[in-house]
Coordinates of all heavy atoms in Angstrom, one line a residue:
M137 N 0.9 -1.2 0.0 CA 0.0 0.0 0.0 C 0.9 1.2 0.0 O 1.6 1.5 1.0 CB -0.9 0.0 1.2 CG -1.9 1.1 1.2 SD -3.2 0.9 2.4 CE -2.3 1.3 3.9
R138 N 0.9 2.0 -1.1 CA 1.7 3.1 -1.2 C 0.9 4.4 -1.4 O -0.1 4.5 -2.1 CB 2.6 3.0 -2.5 CG 3.8 3.8 -2.5 CD 4.7 3.3 -3.7 NE 4.5 4.4 -4.7 CZ 5.1 4.3 -5.9 NH1 5.8 3.2 -6.2 NH2 4.9 5.2 -6.7
V139 N 1.2 5.4 -0.6 CA 0.5 6.7 -0.7 C 1.2 7.6 -1.8 O 2.4 7.8 -1.8 CB 0.6 7.4 0.7 CG1 -0.1 8.7 0.7 CG2 0.0 6.5 1.7
S140 N 0.4 8.1 -2.6 CA 0.9 9.0 -3.6 C 0.9 10.5 -3.0 O -0.1 11.0 -2.4 CB 0.0 9.1 -4.8 OG 0.3 10.1 -5.7
W141 N 2.1 11.0 -2.9 CA 2.3 12.3 -2.4 C 1.6 13.4 -3.1 O 1.1 14.4 -2.6 CB 3.8 12.6 -2.3 CG 4.5 11.7 -1.3 CD1 5.3 10.7 -1.5 CD2 4.3 11.8 0.2 NE1 5.7 10.1 -0.4 CE2 5.1 10.8 0.7 CE3 3.6 12.7 1.0 CZ2 5.2 10.5 2.0 CZ3 3.7 12.4 2.4 CH2 4.5 11.4 2.9
I142 N 1.4 13.2 -4.4 CA 0.7 14.2 -5.2 C -0.8 14.2 -4.7 O -1.4 15.3 -4.6 CB 0.7 13.9 -6.6 CG1 2.1 14.0 -7.2 CG2 -0.2 14.7 -7.5 CD1 2.4 13.5 -8.6
D143 N -1.4 13.0 -4.4 CA -2.8 13.0 -3.9 C -2.9 13.7 -2.6 O -3.8 14.5 -2.3 CB -3.2 11.6 -3.8 CG -3.5 10.8 -5.1 OD1 -3.6 11.5 -6.1 OD2 -3.6 9.6 -5.1
V144 N -2.0 13.5 -1.8 CA -1.9 14.1 -0.5 C -1.8 15.7 -0.5 O -2.6 16.4 0.1 CB -0.8 13.6 0.4 CG1 -0.7 14.3 1.7 CG2 -1.1 12.1 0.7
M145 N -0.9 16.1 -1.4 CA -0.7 17.6 -1.6 C -2.0 18.2 -2.2 O -2.3 19.3 -1.8 CB 0.5 17.8 -2.4 CG 1.8 17.5 -1.8 SD 2.0 18.3 -0.1 CE 2.1 19.9 -0.6
V146 N -2.6 17.6 -3.2 CA -3.7 18.1 -3.8 C -4.8 18.2 -2.8 O -5.6 19.3 -2.7 CB -4.2 17.3 -5.0 CG1 -5.6 17.7 -5.5 CG2 -3.2 17.4 -6.2
T147 N -5.0 17.2 -2.0 CA -6.1 17.3 -0.9 C -5.7 18.4 0.1 O -6.7 19.1 0.5 CB -6.1 15.9 -0.2 OG1 -6.4 14.9 -1.1 CG2 -7.1 15.9 0.9
V148 N -4.5 18.5 0.6 CA -4.2 19.5 1.5 C -4.4 20.9 0.9 O -4.9 21.9 1.6 CB -2.7 19.4 2.0 CG1 -2.2 20.6 2.7 CG2 -2.6 18.2 2.8
V149 N -4.0 21.2 -0.4 CA -4.1 22.5 -1.0 C -5.7 22.8 -1.2 O -6.1 23.9 -0.9 CB -3.4 22.5 -2.4 CG1 -3.8 23.7 -3.2 CG2 -2.0 22.5 -2.2
V150 N -6.5 21.9 -1.6 CA -7.9 22.1 -1.8 C -8.6 22.4 -0.5 O -9.4 23.2 -0.3 CB -8.6 21.0 -2.5 CG1 -10.1 21.1 -2.5 CG2 -8.1 20.8 -3.9
M151 N -8.1 21.7 0.6 CA -8.7 21.9 2.0 C -8.3 23.3 2.4 O -9.1 24.0 3.0 CB -8.3 20.9 3.0 CG -9.0 19.5 2.6 SD -8.6 18.4 3.8 CE -9.6 18.9 5.2
A152 N -7.1 23.7 2.2 CA -6.6 25.0 2.6 C -7.4 26.1 1.9 O -7.8 27.2 2.5 CB -5.1 25.2 2.4
I153 N -7.6 26.0 0.6 CA -8.4 27.0 -0.2 C -9.8 27.0 0.3 O -10.3 28.0 0.5 CB -8.3 26.6 -1.7 CG1 -7.0 26.9 -2.2 CG2 -9.4 27.4 -2.4 CD1 -6.7 26.4 -3.6
G154 N -10.4 25.8 0.7 CA -11.8 25.8 1.2 C -11.9 26.5 2.5 O -12.8 27.2 2.8
V155 N -10.9 26.3 3.4 CA -10.9 26.9 4.7 C -10.7 28.4 4.5 O -11.4 29.3 5.2 CB -9.7 26.4 5.6 CG1 -9.6 27.2 6.9 CG2 -10.1 25.0 6.0
A156 N -9.8 28.9 3.6 CA -9.8 30.3 3.4 C -10.9 30.9 2.9 O -11.4 32.0 3.2 CB -8.4 30.5 2.4
A157 N -11.7 30.2 2.0 CA -12.9 30.7 1.4 C -14.0 30.8 2.5 O -14.8 31.8 2.6 CB -13.5 29.8 0.4
V158 N -14.1 29.9 3.5 CA -15.0 29.9 4.6 C -14.6 31.1 5.5 O -15.5 32.0 5.9 CB -14.9 28.7 5.5 CG1 -15.7 28.8 6.7 CG2 -15.5 27.5 4.6
I159 N -13.4 31.4 5.7 CA -13.0 32.5 6.6 C -13.3 33.9 5.8 O -13.8 34.8 6.5 CB -11.5 32.4 7.0 CG1 -11.3 31.2 7.9 CG2 -11.0 33.7 7.6 CD1 -9.9 30.8 8.2
A160 N -12.9 34.0 4.5 CA -13.2 35.1 3.7 C -14.6 35.5 3.6 O -15.1 36.6 3.7 CB -12.5 35.1 2.5
G161 N -15.4 34.4 3.5 CA -16.8 34.5 3.4 C -17.4 35.0 4.7 O -18.4 35.8 4.7
G162 N -16.9 34.5 5.8 CA -17.4 35.0 7.1 C -17.0 36.5 7.4 O -17.8 37.1 8.0
A163 N -15.8 36.8 6.9 CA -15.4 38.3 7.1 C -16.2 39.3 6.2 O -16.5 40.4 6.6 CB -14.0 38.4 6.8
D164 N -16.6 38.7 5.0 CA -17.3 39.6 4.1 C -18.9 39.4 4.2 O -19.6 40.0 3.5 CB -16.9 39.2 2.7 CG -17.4 40.3 1.6 OD1 -17.6 41.4 2.0 OD2 -17.5 39.8 0.4
D165 N -19.3 38.4 5.1 CA -20.7 38.2 5.3 C -21.3 37.6 4.0 O -22.4 38.0 3.6 CB -21.5 39.3 5.9 CG -22.8 39.0 6.5 OD1 -22.9 37.8 6.9 OD2 -23.7 39.7 6.5
S166 N -20.6 36.7 3.4 CA -21.1 36.0 2.2 C -21.4 34.6 2.4 O -20.5 33.8 2.4 CB -20.0 36.2 1.1 OG -20.3 35.6 0.0
P167 N -22.6 34.2 2.5 CA -23.0 32.9 2.7 C -22.6 31.9 1.5 O -22.4 30.8 1.6 CB -24.5 32.8 2.9 CG -25.0 34.1 2.3 CD -23.8 35.1 2.4
G168 N -22.6 32.5 0.3 CA -22.3 31.7 -0.8 C -20.9 31.2 -0.9 O -20.6 30.1 -1.2
L169 N -20.0 32.2 -0.6 CA -18.6 31.9 -0.5 C -18.3 30.9 0.6 O -17.5 29.9 0.4 CB -17.7 33.1 -0.3 CG -16.2 32.9 -0.4 CD1 -15.7 32.3 -1.7 CD2 -15.5 34.3 -0.1
Q170 N -19.0 31.0 1.8 CA -18.8 30.0 2.8 C -19.2 28.6 2.4 O -18.6 27.7 2.8 CB -19.6 30.5 4.1 CG -19.0 31.7 4.8 CD -19.8 32.2 6.0 OE1 -21.0 32.0 6.0 NE2 -19.1 32.8 6.8
G171 N -20.4 28.6 1.7 CA -20.9 27.4 1.3 C -20.0 26.6 0.3 O -19.8 25.4 0.3
L172 N -19.4 27.4 -0.7 CA -18.5 26.8 -1.6 C -17.1 26.4 -0.9 O -16.7 25.3 -1.3 CB -18.1 27.9 -2.7 CG -19.1 28.2 -3.7 CD1 -18.7 29.4 -4.6 CD2 -19.5 27.0 -4.5
G173 N -16.8 27.1 0.1 CA -15.6 26.7 0.9 C -15.9 25.4 1.6 O -15.1 24.5 1.7
L174 N -17.1 25.3 2.2 CA -17.4 24.1 3.0 C -17.5 22.9 2.0 O -17.1 21.8 2.3 CB -18.7 24.3 3.6 CG -19.3 23.1 4.6 CD1 -18.3 23.0 5.7 CD2 -20.6 23.5 5.1
I175 N -18.1 23.1 0.8 CA -18.2 22.1 -0.1 C -16.8 21.6 -0.6 O -16.5 20.3 -0.8 CB -19.0 22.5 -1.3 CG1 -20.5 22.6 -1.0 CG2 -18.8 21.5 -2.5 CD1 -21.3 23.2 -2.0
A176 N -15.9 22.5 -0.7 CA -14.5 22.2 -1.1 C -13.8 21.3 0.0 O -13.2 20.3 -0.4 CB -13.7 23.4 -1.4
V177 N -14.0 21.7 1.2 CA -13.4 20.9 2.4 C -13.9 19.6 2.5 O -13.2 18.6 2.5 CB -13.5 21.7 3.6 CG1 -13.1 20.9 4.8 CG2 -12.7 23.0 3.6
V178 N -15.3 19.5 2.5 CA -15.9 18.2 2.6 C -15.7 17.3 1.4 O -15.4 16.1 1.6 CB -17.5 18.4 2.9 CG1 -18.2 17.1 2.9 CG2 -17.7 19.1 4.2
G179 N -15.8 17.9 0.2 CA -15.5 17.1 -0.9 C -14.1 16.5 -1.1 O -13.9 15.3 -1.3
S180 N -13.2 17.3 -0.6 CA -11.7 16.9 -0.8 C -11.5 15.8 0.3 O -10.8 14.8 0.1 CB -10.8 18.0 -0.6 OG -10.8 18.6 0.7
L181 N -12.1 16.0 1.4 CA -11.9 15.0 2.6 C -12.7 13.6 2.1 O -12.1 12.6 2.3 CB -12.6 15.5 3.8 CG -12.4 14.5 5.0 CD1 -11.0 14.4 5.3 CD2 -13.1 15.2 6.3
A182 N -13.7 13.7 1.5 CA -14.5 12.6 1.0 C -13.7 11.8 0.0 O -13.6 10.5 -0.1 CB -15.9 12.9 0.5
V183 N -13.1 12.5 -1.0 CA -12.3 11.9 -2.0 C -11.1 11.3 -1.5 O -10.7 10.1 -1.9 CB -12.0 13.0 -3.1 CG1 -11.0 12.4 -4.0 CG2 -13.2 13.4 -3.9
A184 N -10.5 11.9 -0.5 CA -9.2 11.3 0.2 C -9.6 10.1 0.9 O -8.9 9.0 0.8 CB -8.6 12.3 1.1
V185 N -10.7 10.0 1.6 CA -11.1 8.8 2.3 C -11.5 7.7 1.4 O -11.1 6.5 1.6 CB -12.3 9.1 3.3 CG1 -12.9 7.9 3.9 CG2 -11.8 10.0 4.4
R186 N -12.2 8.0 0.3 CA -12.5 7.1 -0.7 C -11.3 6.4 -1.4 O -11.2 5.3 -1.5 CB -13.4 7.6 -1.7 CG -13.9 6.8 -2.8 CD -14.8 7.5 -3.8 NE -15.2 6.5 -4.8 CZ -15.8 6.9 -5.8 NH1 -16.2 8.2 -6.0 NH2 -16.2 6.0 -6.8
R187 N -10.3 7.3 -1.7 CA -9.1 6.7 -2.3 C -8.3 5.8 -1.3 O -7.8 4.8 -1.7 CB -8.1 7.9 -2.7 CG -8.6 8.6 -3.9 CD -7.6 9.6 -4.4 NE -8.0 10.2 -5.5 CZ -7.6 11.4 -5.9 NH1 -6.6 12.0 -5.3 NH2 -8.0 11.9 -7.1
A188 N -8.3 6.3 0.0 CA -7.6 5.4 1.0 C -8.3 4.0 1.2 O -7.6 3.0 1.2 CB -7.5 6.1 2.3
R189 N -9.7 4.0 1.2 CA -10.3 2.8 1.4 C -10.2 1.9 0.1 O -10.0 0.7 0.4 CB -11.8 3.1 1.6 CG -12.1 3.8 3.0 CD -13.5 4.0 3.3 NE -14.1 2.7 3.6 CZ -15.4 2.5 3.7 NH1 -16.2 3.4 3.5 NH2 -15.8 1.3 4.1
R190 N -10.1 2.5 -1.0 CA -9.9 1.6 -2.2 C -8.5 1.0 -2.2 O -8.4 -0.1 -2.6 CB -10.2 2.5 -3.5 CG -11.6 2.7 -3.8 CD -11.7 3.3 -5.2 NE -13.2 3.4 -5.4 CZ -13.6 3.8 -6.6 NH1 -12.8 4.2 -7.5 NH2 -14.9 3.9 -6.8
R191 N -7.5 1.8 -1.8 CA -6.2 1.3 -1.8 C -6.1 0.2 -0.8 O -5.3 -0.8 -1.0 CB -5.2 2.4 -1.4 CG -4.9 3.3 -2.5 CD -3.7 4.2 -2.3 NE -3.5 5.1 -3.3 CZ -3.7 6.4 -3.2 NH1 -4.1 6.9 -2.0 NH2 -3.6 7.3 -4.1
R192 N -6.7 0.3 0.4 CA -6.7 -0.6 1.4 C -7.4 -1.9 0.9 O -6.8 -3.1 1.2 CB -7.4 -0.1 2.7 CG -7.2 -1.0 3.9 CD -7.9 -0.4 5.0 NE -7.8 -1.3 6.2 CZ -8.4 -1.1 7.3 NH1 -9.1 0.0 7.5 NH2 -8.3 -1.9 8.2
H193 N -8.5 -1.7 0.2 CA -9.2 -2.9 -0.3 C -8.3 -3.7 -1.4 O -8.3 -4.9 -1.3 CB -10.5 -2.4 -0.9 CG -11.3 -3.6 -1.4 ND1 -11.9 -4.6 -0.7 CD2 -11.6 -4.0 -2.7 CE1 -12.6 -5.4 -1.3 NE2 -12.4 -5.1 -2.6
E194 N -7.7 -2.9 -2.3 CA -6.8 -3.5 -3.3 C -5.7 -4.2 -2.6 O -5.2 -5.3 -3.0 CB -6.3 -2.5 -4.2 CG -7.4 -2.0 -5.1 CD -6.9 -0.8 -6.0 OE1 -5.7 -0.4 -5.9 OE2 -7.7 -0.3 -6.7
W195 N -5.1 -3.7 -1.5 CA -4.0 -4.3 -0.8 C -4.4 -5.6 -0.2 O -3.7 -6.6 -0.2 CB -3.5 -3.3 0.3 CG -2.3 -3.8 1.0 CD1 -1.0 -4.0 0.6 CD2 -2.3 -4.2 2.5 NE1 -0.3 -4.5 1.6 CE2 -1.0 -4.7 2.8 CE3 -3.3 -4.2 3.4 CZ2 -0.7 -5.0 4.0 CZ3 -3.0 -4.6 4.7 CH2 -1.7 -5.1 5.0
R196 N -5.6 -5.6 0.4 CA -6.1 -6.9 1.0 C -6.3 -8.0 -0.1 O -6.1 -9.1 0.2 CB -7.3 -6.7 1.8 CG -7.1 -6.0 3.1 CD -8.4 -5.9 3.9 NE -8.0 -5.3 5.2 CZ -9.0 -5.1 6.1 NH1 -10.3 -5.5 5.9 NH2 -8.7 -4.7 7.3
R197 N -6.9 -7.5 -1.2 CA -7.2 -8.4 -2.2 C -5.9 -9.1 -2.8 O -5.8 -10.2 -3.1 CB -7.9 -7.7 -3.4 CG -8.3 -8.6 -4.5 CD -9.0 -7.9 -5.6 NE -10.4 -7.5 -5.1 CZ -11.2 -6.9 -5.8 NH1 -10.9 -6.3 -7.0 NH2 -12.4 -6.6 -5.3
S198 N -4.8 -8.3 -3.0 CA -3.5 -8.8 -3.5 C -2.9 -9.8 -2.5 O -2.1 -10.6 -3.0 CB -2.6 -7.6 -3.9 OG -2.2 -7.0 -2.6
R199 N -3.2 -9.7 -1.3 CA -2.6 -10.6 -0.3 C -3.2 -12.0 -0.3 O -2.7 -12.9 0.1 CB -2.7 -10.0 1.2 CG -1.8 -8.8 1.4 CD -1.8 -8.4 2.8 NE -1.5 -9.4 3.8 CZ -1.9 -9.4 5.0 NH1 -2.4 -8.3 5.5 NH2 -1.6 -10.4 5.8
D200 N -4.6 -12.0 -0.7 CA -5.3 -13.3 -0.7 C -4.9 -14.2 -1.8 O -4.3 -13.9 -2.8 CB -6.7 -13.0 -0.8 CG -7.3 -12.3 0.5 OD1 -6.6 -12.4 1.5 OD2 -8.4 -11.8 0.4

């Protein structure tokens, strides 16, 4: 089971942009920007978890 550093970096960057959008939207009182930031954070986290679970499943399958 090997972790791709590119996947990790993309996830971290998208989450950082999402958090920045939530903070900027809060400062500007913009619910749309906060919503987009929240979608970016939750979406990137969901994709990262999905990739990790698939890699783990493939690793178990290769051992059998």
